[in-house]
Amino acid sequence: MSIIVETKNVSKSYEMGGISTEILKNVNLQINKGEFISIMGSSGSGKSTLLYLIGGLDKPSAGRIEILGKEISVMKDKDESIMRRRDIGFVFQFYNLIPNLSVEENIMLPMLLDGKPKSSYRDKLDGIIEIVGLSERRKHTPRELSGGQQQRVAIARALINGPELILADEPIGNLDSTTGMEIMELFRKINKERGKTIIQVTHSQEATVYGNRIIRLKDGVLQKEA
Amino acid sequence: MNIIARSIIKNIAERKFRTGLIIFSILISTALFFSSITISNALTHVYTQKLENAQGNADIVIKNGDNTTSFFSADKAEKLSNSTTYIIGEIQSPAIFITKDNNINWFNLHGLEENELEKLNPITYVDKQNDQPFEGNQIIVSQGMVDKFKLSIGDALYLEVNGKKQSFHIYGISYPVGYFMDESQFYSAIVPKQTLSQIYQANGLVNYVNIKLADVNDKSAAITELSGVYKNQMVKDPVSPEDIKSQTSVLSTALMVMVVVVTFMSIFIIYTCFKVLTIERLPMVGTFRSIGATKKVIHLLLIAESLFYGVIGAVLGSAFGVVILYYITSMTTPSYIKQSQMMIQFSPVHIVAASLFAIVLCLGSSLMPILKTSKIPLKEVILSLTELKDLGKTKKFIMGLVFIAMIVIFAPMVTGQLAVAVVGVSVILAGVAVTLVVPFLTELAAAILEKLYALIFGNVGPLALKNIRGNSNMMNTISLIAIGITSIMFVNTASNSVLTATTNLYSESSTFDIKMAAAGADQQLVNDIRKVDGVQDVYANYEAKNVKVVDKNGDILAIDSVDSARHLDFWKIDMDGDLKGQLKKLDNERNILLAVQVKERLGVKDGDTITLAFPKGNKEYKVQGSFNTLMYTGNYALISEKYMKQDLGATTYSNIYIKTNQNPSTVSKHLERKFFSDRPQIVTVKDWQQGNVKSNKQIFNILKGFAFLSMLIGIVGVFNNLVINLIQRRRNLAMLRSIGMSKVQTVKMIFIESLTLGLMGGVFGCLGGYLLIWLLPYIYKAVFIPPVYIFYPISQVWLYFLASVCIAIVASISPMNKSSKLNIINVIKYE
């Protein structure tokens, strides 16, 4: 199995009120292609920070992070953005959809940013909308959708460019349990059927069931896997 | 209550930029309001002072009618001696001083004795011959004059008076005050009355009488009484309040129009600021409401906040208003007054009025967003589930169209006094209509432009367009730019059109080269003028000024006589039909041709009869027709020479029009030289135009300054909106960055948005501008200004576009910069 994500001695600290606080301490991690990882830990343990570092949304204070063999922490903004468009898909707890764009426009955003012509992704868009079960709602705006539906749009957006890696930050944290499980089922389907690597940050023990490996963080330190 | 108030005070302090913007908007509006209500008084004071200084401190003067030089006795005024402080007879006379290089310099000689001078208009000497009395061939001149001709005390000065060369000796040199204050047209000089009397052989008679009353309240009674005695002379107030009012009212009316524009923009800015501010406060309001604060308490506190802005704006606005007032007064005050005693005039009432304006403006604009909070259910406020709802864009668009339709229908329909109100409301409605149609038309334009943008800018282009659609901050930005462009375009067009029309007044409406007036201008003088080298043809007529229309309670500023055989050789008349026939008809009976504005103002139609108060009694004239003219801003009429002579009792011509076959400037010099003893006022059409351009430009520059200030408010508003917009879009921008939008793409997207805002602001601004320009003839008509040819700004449109795009792009530099430094995680995770 090939390694899709590798962190080497990654540390991250923030200055707050003149005091430096270390959020992550020497995190070494390898994630293989096709895995479905759940990162768990108490509040402030650094799990979301680790996810954002992997996604290139933040830079580590020390150490290196490689995605698909490329070191993301030294990349220029343009290359980093291209990687986020093509190789990574993000799903957030609060969906983060653009309210004035329709479902399909929200989903198409990464491709639009990649400069691809509309005709090239029309079929793909139909397929993805079908997978997330929003065929009837494609012209609606996020305001007109339930929380679960909005999260499906976010997942579809994460998938549209066919990235190898899906990063999900507490994807069901804002949903009721039934809807949450439906979303997790969708993630499992994507992982199994499409072979996508998924890393999710979660508080929910039930959500970890859908994954195949759990990584625990405590006070910024990676705990030995059980 | 204290805690809530403290929390709001902290919010005010934290939101420095917005607080600053609200206060700045109120400040500018208040300042403009203050200056427009005070300017008329201030200018009146300046002009009164100017005339008083030039005339002395007399309350009443008696002088010859416009063009006569005869002498009369001052003794007849002595019947009022019990109620006067002084009655001083004076001899006034023109004189010329010819330099070695043959240049003619005009002097106005005041023949007064030293003790009379002391009472009437005391001299402040720079230098004086103390050892000699003021008599014989002594002369007092100004410092400016001696400096120019390098003269000093005791030097000889040769002047030509009454056709003879006279030698004078400089007795005193005066500072540029009193009679010597304004020497822009001719020099003043004082000589002993006895000396002038001998030159003219006046035998104790005078040609000017100055009277100071013991009680100034008796003025009108005294004027009436003296008019009965001096039937062949003019008895009048040296400073006519009506004349001054007419000089200052144009400017104050124009400033009021600007106040309407600026106030409208301020309302818009304060309203949008308060809307955002109220939305931001909703969570806080929710928290306070959840722990028991009543709606009333919350409203009172928000209103108190608004009041706070209003009061600060009132204080600063009034102070800035004083600065503007000083600036305008200084711009419109002749330099010789400025040097000595320029003062600005305002009273506490003006300050109170301006302050009330500021407070009402602020409270009024903020009340709607504040009251809207009360309509939101408490649960939604507490959970921050709501937004302040506006009318939908389609409803707004329809309302905007209805407003435009109302303007187009009603403005041309209404005439008379009602027109001022209707046109005023139309101007405001036009501004409101622009803001109402912007959202819908922007949406439409965005849909149309999508493909073009994709072609030019790639996929980020349509995305930027989508961001604009439905974003209220961006819509407000477009509206602000549009209103700014509308007002600038309107003011520029209005001023340029009037400027061009008045500049070309004589060249468009006449065919002569020189206009001349002279004392005792009889047929002999006209014949003599014909003989002057370079004169091709001459035509003279009579003019009656300020003629009361007895039965209509109005007046006509000037009525000219017409010699039907010659008038059209010198004048063009803008009138349909057989012009020559119309002029000939004037001779048949007492017929009058009125300027269209006079006809409308008096509310008369062809065939009606009006009664004119002429010196020879009230005379009935039949309205024969009307014509378009800019002469005397359309307050003008024509009657036949025959009846003018009878009714005015005039024996000398008022105006002489001369066609030349040489350079008019040279001919005018010949005329000056030849007829100097007749005190000719000679102006070539070209010089007249230049003078007119200069004086009009002054007023229009002030107006343009005001339009610029309104644009400035707009620009600050645009900056504010774009910054607020960035704050509200941080999450969206962070999300776009998280899914792969690069910093360059983010900046590009914001740039495209700004470019579009600028372009749309420009388009809607120009459309709004054209709407107001279309209204311009009705505005002119409402204030009885004659119709002028309106120069629609076609070639300058690109400049307005450029300005509008530049404003939007410059305003977006800060948001672009901030967006590229966005901390994605902080925004996504915590906001």
Side-chain angles (χ1 to χ4, degrees):
Chain A
M1 264 192 181
S2 58
I3 295 170
I4 196 164
V5 177
E6 185 167 18
T7 70
K8 290 174 185 168
N9 297 318
V10 168
S11 295
K12 179 71 186 174
S13 51
Y14 289 108
E15 285 273 330
M16 270 192 258
I19 301 163
S20 176
T21 311
E22 206 166 19
I23 309 290
L24 290 174
K25 296 165 192 164
N26 288 319
V27 175
N28 287 295
L29 179 67
Q30 282 188 342
I31 295 169
N32 295 318
K33 189 174 177 347
E35 278 193 290
F36 189 159
I37 307 283
S38 303
I39 304 176
M40 293 195 78
S42 55
S43 285
S45 60
K47 51 190 187 302
S48 291
T49 304
L50 177 61
L51 191 81
Y52 292 138
L53 287 176
I54 292 170
L57 296 180
D58 205 354
K59 303 270 182 206
S61 308
R64 43 192 286 151
I65 299 168
E66 285 179 14
I67 308 289
L68 294 164
K70 288 178 236 168
E71 190 180 346
I72 196 166
S73 46
V74 295
M75 273 183 187
K76 286 184 180 158
D77 175 67
K78 189 183 171 191
D79 299 326
E80 197 183 274
S81 301
I82 290 172
M83 174 167 264
R84 278 203 296 274
R85 265 178 244 158
R86 296 178 187 172
D87 302 324
I88 301 172
F90 262 105
V91 178
F92 298 97
Q93 180 180 358
F94 294 104
Y95 333 124
N96 285 337
L97 302 175
I98 304 283
N100 59 333
L101 298 185
S102 68
V103 164
E104 54 179 36
E105 284 169 337
N106 263 291
I107 296 171
M108 287 187 304
L109 270 174
M111 298 192 81
L112 286 172
L113 295 176
D114 217 23
K116 289 175 183 161
K118 259 187 180 177
S119 53
S120 70
Y121 49 75
R122 187 51 63 185
D123 291 345
K124 207 169 182 182
L125 175 72
D126 292 344
I128 298 278
I129 288 183
E130 190 67 40
I131 290 170
V132 296
L134 289 171
S135 303
E136 307 295 314
R137 309 290 248 169
R138 56 193 300 161
K139 297 289 179 196
H140 289 238
T141 60
R143 288 191 193 98
E144 297 160 323
L145 301 179
S146 68
Q149 287 170 328
Q150 287 190 54
Q151 196 60 297
R152 284 168 189 273
V153 178
I155 293 167
R157 183 179 68 191
L159 289 173
I160 189 78
N161 251 342
E164 283 301 324
L165 180 62
I166 308 277
L167 302 176
D169 185 13
E170 302 199 35
I172 59 167
N174 202 33
L175 301 172
D176 63 77
S177 61
T178 315
T179 314
M181 290 312 115
E182 281 171 16
I183 293 294
M184 288 316 300
E185 195 55 56
L186 182 60
F187 274 122
R188 177 150 66 188
K189 197 170 150 192
I190 291 162
N191 173 248
K192 292 279 180 217
E193 293 177 7
R194 303 193 148 225
K196 303 293 178 195
T197 308
I198 298 174
I199 306 174
Q200 69 159 335
V201 163
T202 184
H203 277 113
S204 161
Q205 197 62 47
E206 286 166 304
T208 61
V209 175
Y210 293 85
N212 51 17
R213 181 150 68 113
I214 298 172
I215 292 169
R216 292 181 195 278
L217 276 170
K218 190 179 177 189
D219 298 330
V221 178
L222 197 65
Q223 304 297 296
K224 279 192 178 168
E225 288 176 45
Chain B
M1 181 89 170
N2 276 342
I3 302 170
I4 308 174
R6 225 177 294 145
S7 158
I8 287 181
I9 291 167
K10 274 191 176 173
N11 263 320
I12 294 174
E14 278 168 12
R15 300 274 186 253
K16 288 185 191 72
F17 181 77
R18 189 166 320 134
T19 305
L21 179 81
I22 294 175
I23 291 175
F24 180 76
S25 309
I26 303 166
L27 184 157
I28 297 283
S29 310
T30 311
L32 292 192
F33 181 77
F34 176 84
S35 42
S36 67
I37 57 172
T38 50
I39 191 70
S40 161
N41 274 352
L43 289 182
T44 304
H45 179 76
V46 166
Y47 283 109
T48 310
Q49 217 176 36
K50 167 189 162 184
L51 293 172
E52 274 178 7
N53 275 302
Q55 311 250 10
N57 56 22
D59 296 319
I60 298 172
V61 294
I62 306 170
K63 58 180 187 176
N64 284 308
D66 279 354
N67 296 312
T68 54
T69 48
S70 56
F71 288 88
F72 54 88
S73 168
D75 295 346
K76 284 191 276 179
E78 291 294 338
K79 67 184 283 196
L80 286 181
S81 58
N82 291 337
S83 54
T84 57
T85 310
Y86 64 68
I87 298 170
I88 299 173
E90 180 186 343
I91 296 178
Q92 290 194 359
S93 162
I96 55 168
F97 169 56
I98 302 170
T99 55
K100 282 175 192 160
D101 50 359
N102 259 341
N103 264 335
I104 297 174
N105 297 279
W106 286 88
F107 274 74
N108 188 25
L109 300 183
H110 295 267
L112 288 163
E113 302 307 336
E114 200 168 18
N115 63 330
E116 292 172 339
L117 195 58
E118 198 56 42
K119 286 184 203 163
L120 184 62
N121 205 351
I123 306 258
T124 315
Y125 288 105
V126 179
D127 200 358
K128 181 187 173 193
Q129 280 187 335
N130 284 322
D131 52 341
Q132 287 179 25
F134 181 58
E135 58 184 28
N137 61 350
Q138 308 279 27
I139 189 166
I140 302 166
V141 290
S142 73
Q143 192 178 19
M145 190 263 164
V146 293
D147 286 352
K148 183 164 181 199
F149 299 109
K150 299 192 171 53
L151 298 166
S152 56
I153 290 285
D155 282 358
L157 179 67
Y158 295 97
L159 297 178
E160 213 172 295
V161 187
N162 199 23
K164 288 175 205 148
K165 201 167 183 180
Q166 307 283 341
S167 161
F168 291 94
H169 283 98
I170 297 176
Y171 169 83
I173 299 167
S174 168
Y175 279 109
V177 291
Y179 287 135
F180 305 99
M181 189 180 252
D182 179 10
E183 294 199 321
S184 54
Q185 289 179 313
F186 47 75
Y187 294 104
S188 290
I190 295 153
V191 294
K193 183 155 68 184
Q194 191 57 35
T195 310
L196 267 189
S197 185
Q198 280 167 9
I199 292 171
Y200 280 99
Q201 296 177 332
N203 301 323
L205 299 180
V206 294
N207 60 8
Y208 202 93
V209 179
N210 302 277
I211 299 169
K212 176 98 184 152
L213 296 169
D215 182 0
V216 75
N217 293 322
D218 298 337
K219 197 188 275 187
S220 53
I223 289 177
T224 314
E225 197 172 345
L226 288 168
S227 299
V229 184
Y230 285 97
K231 287 207 168 81
N232 295 322
Q233 283 76 32
M234 281 166 64
V235 182
K236 54 179 284 202
D237 192 327
V239 181
S240 155
E242 287 77 21
D243 288 352
I244 290 168
K245 199 104 194 156
S246 73
Q247 280 200 32
T248 56
S249 67
V250 173
L251 187 58
S252 56
T253 311
L255 288 185
M256 264 302 172
V257 172
M258 286 318 298
V259 169
V260 170
V261 173
V262 172
T263 305
F264 180 73
M265 289 182 86
S266 300
I267 290 172
F268 191 72
I269 291 170
I270 298 166
Y271 170 76
T272 48
C273 280
F274 255 85
K275 210 166 103 177
V276 176
L277 188 144
T278 317
I279 292 168
E280 278 181 4
R281 300 277 159 82
L282 275 182
M284 186 194 80
V285 169
T287 308
F288 285 125
R289 293 288 310 278
S290 71
I291 55 171
T294 60
K295 266 185 203 174
K296 200 175 150 192
V297 168
I298 301 288
H299 284 170
L300 280 177
L301 282 164
L302 287 171
I303 287 169
E305 183 177 346
S306 167
L307 200 65
F308 166 81
Y309 298 129
V311 170
I312 303 268
V315 173
L316 296 177
S318 301
F320 187 49
V322 174
V323 176
I324 293 184
L325 180 64
Y326 181 85
Y327 172 72
I328 297 176
T329 314
S330 148
M331 260 184 89
T332 47
T333 306
S335 55
Y336 57 89
I337 295 185
K338 244 185 280 178
Q339 284 162 10
S340 51
Q341 45 191 319
M342 197 194 89
M343 276 178 69
I344 48 170
Q345 288 281 309
F346 62 90
S347 69
V349 177
H350 293 129
I351 299 267
V352 171
S355 303
L356 279 176
F357 170 82
I359 290 165
V360 169
L361 171 71
C362 199
L363 283 180
S365 320
S366 57
L367 210 59
M368 215 198 297
I370 292 173
L371 292 180
K372 271 185 181 174
T373 56
S374 63
K375 290 184 183 157
I376 308 168
L378 184 56
K379 182 190 145 203
E380 290 190 10
V381 177
I382 293 168
L383 297 177
S384 299
L385 293 174
T386 189
E387 292 174 3
L388 296 183
K389 283 191 181 69
D390 265 341
L391 275 179
K393 55 182 176 295
T394 318
K395 276 186 188 164
K396 278 186 181 175
F397 180 67
I398 292 168
M399 207 188 260
L401 286 187
V402 170
F403 285 173
I404 294 170
M406 278 164 66
I407 296 167
V408 174
I409 294 167
F410 291 119
M413 264 171 59
V414 192
T415 53
Q417 288 300 315
L418 193 62
V420 180
V422 170
V423 167
V425 171
S426 297
V427 171
I428 297 171
L429 278 187
V432 176
V434 168
T435 63
L436 288 174
V437 299
V438 157
F440 184 87
L441 290 182
T442 303
E443 191 105 350
L444 193 70
I448 295 167
L449 289 172
E450 209 171 306
K451 280 197 176 135
L452 181 71
Y453 266 45
L455 209 68
I456 301 171
F457 302 112
N459 288 340
V460 178
L463 191 60
L465 277 181
K466 285 192 173 103
N467 289 338
I468 292 173
R469 292 162 72 174
N471 181 315
S472 60
N473 284 319
M474 297 213 224
M475 296 295 169
N476 289 342
T477 305
I478 295 174
S479 298
L480 273 175
I481 297 175
I483 294 169
I485 296 288
T486 297
S487 64
I488 290 260
M489 197 167 160
F490 172 65
V491 170
N492 270 344
T493 308
S495 49
N496 285 343
S497 299
V498 172
L499 199 63
T500 313
T502 49
T503 305
N504 300 334
L505 176 60
Y506 278 138
S507 56
E508 301 258 317
S509 60
S510 68
T511 51
F512 54 83
D513 303 302
I514 295 172
K515 186 185 172 195
M516 177 173 164
D522 52 10
Q523 193 52 47
Q524 184 55 47
L525 184 98
V526 173
N527 294 341
D528 289 344
I529 291 172
R530 278 184 214 282
K531 293 174 196 156
V532 172
D533 189 25
V535 171
Q536 186 191 326
D537 198 0
V538 186
Y539 168 60
N541 72 354
Y542 305 94
E543 187 169 80
K545 288 269 185 75
N546 291 312
V547 180
K548 277 212 154 40
V549 184
V550 182
D551 47 352
K552 298 288 174 191
N553 197 23
D555 51 19
I556 303 171
L557 196 56
I559 302 179
D560 272 2
S561 74
V562 168
D563 174 351
S564 55
R566 308 240 37 219
H567 199 80
L568 291 175
D569 294 340
F570 288 79
W571 288 97
K572 300 172 191 167
I573 299 176
D574 180 7
M575 192 178 169
D576 294 334
D578 168 24
L579 281 178
K580 199 131 194 153
Q582 287 277 3
L583 296 190
K584 214 157 177 55
K585 214 173 140 192
L586 287 175
D587 297 331
N588 296 348
E589 52 179 322
R590 280 195 169 81
N591 285 334
I592 187 165
L593 286 172
L594 298 174
V596 172
Q597 284 64 43
V598 176
K599 200 172 156 189
E600 281 183 6
R601 195 161 42 84
L602 297 177
V604 292
K605 51 186 189 304
D606 292 357
D608 284 358
T609 304
I610 54 172
T611 309
L612 301 175
F614 276 111
K616 299 286 174 190
N618 290 352
K619 304 287 173 188
E620 283 194 352
Y621 275 79
K622 196 160 105 189
V623 179
Q624 184 186 307
S626 56
F627 58 102
N628 284 313
T629 180
L630 278 170
M631 290 290 291
Y632 297 99
T633 58
N635 200 345
Y636 184 60
L638 296 172
I639 60 172
S640 106
E641 188 179 290
K642 182 170 94 183
Y643 294 107
M644 177 71 99
K645 272 162 106 174
Q646 288 176 20
D647 299 345
L648 185 66
T651 50
T652 56
Y653 291 117
S654 312
N655 295 309
I656 302 162
Y657 309 103
I658 300 159
K659 285 186 186 178
T660 64
N661 49 22
Q662 283 179 19
N663 183 342
S665 303
T666 317
V667 178
S668 85
K669 284 224 165 70
H670 292 161
L671 290 165
E672 265 185 3
R673 186 71 191 89
K674 181 158 185 190
F675 301 104
F676 92 93
S677 58
D678 298 300
R679 306 186 203 187
Q681 294 154 24
I682 302 169
V683 64
T684 64
V685 168
K686 202 176 157 197
D687 289 343
W688 183 87
Q689 276 180 353
Q690 279 167 358
N692 218 349
V693 168
K694 208 173 152 191
S695 67
N696 278 335
K697 263 198 172 158
Q698 214 169 38
I699 291 181
F700 290 127
N701 280 343
I702 292 168
L703 276 186
K704 282 178 186 172
F706 274 51
F708 171 75
L709 279 180
S710 76
M711 193 69 208
L712 191 68
I713 297 188
I715 291 170
V716 177
V718 168
F719 272 76
N720 171 61
N721 271 332
L722 292 182
V723 170
I724 292 174
N725 188 36
L726 178 77
I727 294 168
Q728 291 182 340
R729 289 173 65 205
R730 278 158 63 94
R731 197 179 175 87
N732 286 352
L733 289 174
M735 186 282 298
L736 286 168
R737 296 270 290 124
S738 75
I739 59 165
M741 180 178 260
S742 66
K743 284 179 186 173
V744 174
Q745 281 178 314
T746 313
V747 170
K748 185 179 167 188
M749 183 177 78
I750 296 178
F751 176 81
I752 298 168
E753 285 169 9
S754 312
L755 181 77
T756 313
L757 297 183
L759 283 173
M760 291 194 181
V763 171
F764 300 136
C766 288
L767 289 176
Y770 277 122
L771 180 65
L772 283 190
I773 294 167
W774 177 85
L775 263 175
L776 206 48
Y778 304 108
I779 296 174
Y780 288 147
K781 196 176 159 191
V783 290
F784 301 113
I785 291 178
V788 297
Y789 181 78
I790 309 285
F791 291 92
Y792 275 82
I794 294 162
S795 57
Q796 300 98 311
V797 161
W798 70 271
L799 275 176
Y800 294 114
F801 272 108
L802 193 68
S804 135
V805 168
C806 285
I807 290 166
I809 289 178
V810 170
S812 68
I813 289 175
S814 163
M816 280 193 258
N817 190 29
K818 282 184 178 160
S819 73
S820 64
K821 289 177 185 160
L822 204 66
N823 185 323
I824 305 171
I825 301 171
N826 276 352
V827 177
I828 287 186
K829 195 73 185 160
Y830 306 113
E831 285 197 5

